[in-house]
Amino acid sequence: MEPHEGKTEGSQAPKTVSTKLARIAELAKQGPAMAFRNLAHHIDVEFLREAFASTRKDGATGVDGQTALEYEQDLERNLRSLHERFKSGTYRAPPVKRVHIPKGDGRTRPIGIPTFEDKLLQRAVAMVLSAVYEQDFMDCSFGFRPKRRAHEALARLRNELMEMRGGWVLDVDIKGFFDNLDHAHLRDLLDQRVLDGVIRRTINKWLKAGVLEEGSLSFPETGTPQGGVISPLLANVYLHVVVDKWFHDEVKPRLKGRAFLVRYADDFVMVFEHEEDARRVFEVLPKRLARFGLTLHPEKSRLLKFTKPANRDKEPPDEPPASFDFLGFTHHWARSRRGLWVIKQKTAKGRLARALKRINEWCQLNRHRPLREQLQLLASKLRGHCEYYGLTGNSRSLTRFRQGLLTRWRFWLDKRSHRARMTWTKLGQWLDRHPLPQARAVHSTLRHAANP
């Protein structure tokens, strides 16, 4: 007989949101094959209130134009109404508003913007599902998971590569993953863990909600909109089976040497000790993805030899040193201060150019603001850049960003007036009195070692 989660709890249902989630997680951990049939009852008005507190309030508005502030003005009544519609099955998922944001290479990325109420309900359902699936997800996945960040994925990748002394890197890009996620396969995968009727009907409504773009409403048969709160979790559920479990349960036992996988959402790399293993997996990976309606990007996916360069002090190497990009960083071999070959991570060229382009646009639009106000906002942007890209060994790229910021700022300040020109000398004197923060490695391994 299949375990029934609702019978386990009886009348002693947890009263607080954190206790509810802990109880769900405990049951999921105890029963890795359990299919939960009674999860929706955890989502009450109190639970929705907690989801509201966790939902971003400053995002763009959806098709109804309602802001978080407007929704909050009558919060309790809105939450009670939402709860009633959710439990009764009368909740109607509104279409997602699609916009396109530039990627920096001339192309754009489609982003879906749900209504605020839809974000709130998606957040509540994601909280419940996350309590279940966090017990299943593997240590190799880092994207959009509690207490996991991109920097941990980057550290894992570098440390394992250093331990293996390099290897054969399979740099994978899935073509249009969020647009091509197959609904039928997703439902089959969800069946293995979540059979709650209320939650599954709500997920189906989100998958069928439609997309509104430039006044035209369409209903894609595949995909889940990027930008939706529930989308990253559904993506992790999908790729957990398609990639992670397959790699660990079926691929690794058949290899001759060591191998590991690091995945952040739909961006992942596989590293192999032996070339033969790497080529075999590169050959079967497209077939594995095709079984689930996915396609390997032919131009962005590649296999490369990533071992430390030969110790040549005089002769130039026969070919340029190998490198690959992952999560906005270029991974490459370089000499340490002690002269040893180590793997370093620097800001990818395209990411740096894109960041400076945004700075240039901002300076142009805001050049007539008071100088002190501009400095404060630019300092915030600099700190934000360093918060992500501030890794040990990336100081040169951080300095280039700071210098590029100053160059673009001075250029547009100089355009403010033909009579009051802004020279480098004049700007330097002003910055002596009102300094711009230095670019620093926020995530310094040396600083962390000194003060863990």
Side-chain angles (χ1 to χ4, degrees):
M1 180 177 177
E2 191 176 41
H4 192 297
E5 183 264 345
K7 293 181 180 178
T8 306
E9 293 186 33
S11 60
Q12 299 178 352
K15 295 181 180 180
T16 66
V17 172
S18 59
T19 306
K20 289 178 180 180
L21 296 177
R23 179 60 175 154
I24 295 170
E26 180 184 355
L27 289 168
K29 188 174 183 179
Q30 291 175 353
M34 175 188 293
F36 287 78
R37 296 179 179 275
N38 193 5
L39 288 171
H41 76 277
H42 292 293
I43 303 178
D44 52 18
V45 174
E46 178 189 7
F47 200 101
L48 290 174
R49 193 179 299 114
E50 182 69 20
F52 171 82
S54 303
T55 302
R56 181 179 172 182
K57 309 297 191 299
D58 59 349
T61 59
V63 294
D64 62 355
Q66 186 180 47
T67 65
L69 182 61
E70 292 169 345
Y71 193 85
E72 189 176 12
Q73 289 176 355
D74 198 0
L75 181 61
E76 291 306 311
R77 189 167 69 88
N78 286 333
L79 292 182
R80 287 195 297 270
S81 171
L82 176 59
H83 177 252
E84 181 181 340
R85 285 176 282 137
F86 167 66
K87 295 300 289 288
S88 65
T90 58
Y91 179 78
R92 298 184 63 182
V96 174
K97 182 170 70 175
R98 175 175 286 173
V99 297
H100 293 263
I101 61 173
K103 295 181 64 174
D105 56 1
R107 297 178 300 160
T108 61
R109 181 190 302 276
I111 296 294
I113 305 175
T115 65
F116 180 78
E117 184 175 66
D118 209 39
K119 291 179 187 177
L120 194 161
L121 185 57
Q122 287 189 32
R123 174 69 63 191
V125 172
M127 289 163 63
V128 170
L129 295 185
S130 181
V132 174
Y133 283 105
E134 276 300 309
Q135 316 315 310
D136 300 346
F137 291 157
M138 294 183 170
D139 201 37
C140 62
S141 70
F142 294 85
F144 305 105
R145 294 182 58 190
K147 300 179 181 179
R148 290 194 154 218
R149 302 186 304 163
H151 297 108
E152 295 173 10
L154 291 163
R156 172 72 61 83
L157 177 59
R158 181 187 181 277
N159 293 341
E160 297 242 17
L161 271 169
M162 287 292 295
E163 184 179 338
M164 283 179 56
R165 299 180 181 179
W168 289 82
V169 173
L170 181 50
D171 184 11
V172 180
D173 186 279
I174 299 177
K175 189 174 182 179
F177 170 74
F178 282 94
D179 292 331
N180 295 302
L181 187 148
D182 186 88
H183 293 174
H185 284 302
L186 176 61
R187 293 186 183 99
D188 289 341
L189 298 179
L190 288 170
D191 284 344
Q192 299 173 18
R193 273 306 225 172
V194 179
L195 292 174
D196 181 285
V198 175
I199 287 181
R200 290 298 300 272
R201 282 194 298 270
T202 305
I203 292 176
N204 285 337
K205 290 176 182 180
W206 285 325
L207 294 176
K208 299 177 180 179
V211 175
L212 184 65
E213 183 175 2
E214 296 181 350
S216 176
L217 182 62
S218 61
F219 296 90
E221 296 182 0
T222 61
T224 174
Q226 295 188 62
V229 178
I230 198 71
S231 296
L233 178 59
L234 297 180
N236 273 333
V237 171
Y238 207 82
L239 292 176
H240 166 69
V241 175
V242 177
V243 177
D244 303 353
K245 278 182 63 63
W246 172 72
F247 182 79
H248 284 84
D249 297 347
E250 300 183 36
V251 173
K252 287 184 71 174
R254 293 177 169 86
L255 301 179
K256 295 182 178 180
R258 291 182 295 172
F260 68 92
L261 161 71
V262 177
R263 181 176 66 81
Y264 191 94
D266 62 323
D267 195 1
F268 63 93
V269 293
M270 297 174 176
V271 181
F272 303 86
E273 184 180 8
H274 298 316
E275 178 183 4
E276 180 184 354
D277 288 338
R279 294 197 179 280
R280 285 172 56 202
V281 174
F282 196 20
E283 182 180 348
V284 301
L285 182 59
K287 302 174 186 176
R288 172 66 181 179
L289 296 177
R291 281 185 54 191
F292 294 88
L294 302 176
T295 306
L296 204 65
H297 199 296
E299 299 173 0
K300 295 183 179 180
S301 302
R302 61 181 181 136
L303 178 64
L304 70 149
K305 183 180 181 181
F306 190 75
T307 54
K308 68 179 182 179
N311 291 315
R312 297 178 178 179
D313 296 326
K314 296 181 181 180
E315 298 181 17
D318 296 331
E319 56 187 34
S323 66
F324 65 95
D325 290 352
F326 182 64
L327 298 182
F329 288 87
T330 297
H331 298 67
H332 64 105
W333 288 95
R335 295 278 192 181
S336 69
R337 293 182 178 179
R338 293 189 297 169
L340 303 175
W341 284 111
V342 297
I343 297 171
K344 292 191 175 182
Q345 298 160 314
K346 64 181 179 180
T347 310
K349 185 183 298 184
R351 291 292 187 95
L352 182 59
R354 194 186 313 173
L356 288 175
K357 181 180 179 181
R358 289 197 295 265
I359 290 294
N360 186 71
E361 293 170 349
W362 187 92
C363 290
Q364 180 182 7
L365 293 173
N366 295 274
R367 64 186 184 273
H368 293 298
R369 287 190 178 194
L371 214 56
R372 289 285 294 273
E373 184 180 336
Q374 289 188 53
L375 177 66
Q376 291 175 353
L377 293 170
L378 287 172
S380 177
K381 294 179 182 296
L382 175 59
R383 285 190 290 267
H385 184 86
C386 293
E387 184 64 38
Y388 185 77
Y389 292 103
L391 297 184
T392 299
N394 195 30
S395 58
R396 183 175 297 178
S397 294
L398 298 176
T399 302
R400 286 181 60 192
F401 176 78
R402 184 180 185 274
Q403 186 57 44
L405 180 151
L406 285 172
T407 300
R408 286 153 181 79
W409 190 32
R410 189 210 66 82
F411 175 84
W412 288 109
L413 289 178
D414 192 49
K415 297 291 185 181
R416 295 205 303 181
S417 171
H418 293 293
R419 288 178 290 181
R421 307 304 296 268
M422 179 59 76
T423 63
W424 276 113
T425 300
K426 186 175 179 180
L427 181 60
Q429 292 172 346
W430 191 83
L431 288 173
D432 286 340
R433 300 191 302 273
H434 313 284
L436 179 72
Q438 293 296 320
R440 58 189 290 268
V442 177
H443 307 280
S444 169
T445 54
L446 300 177
R447 193 182 305 117
H448 179 75
N451 185 23

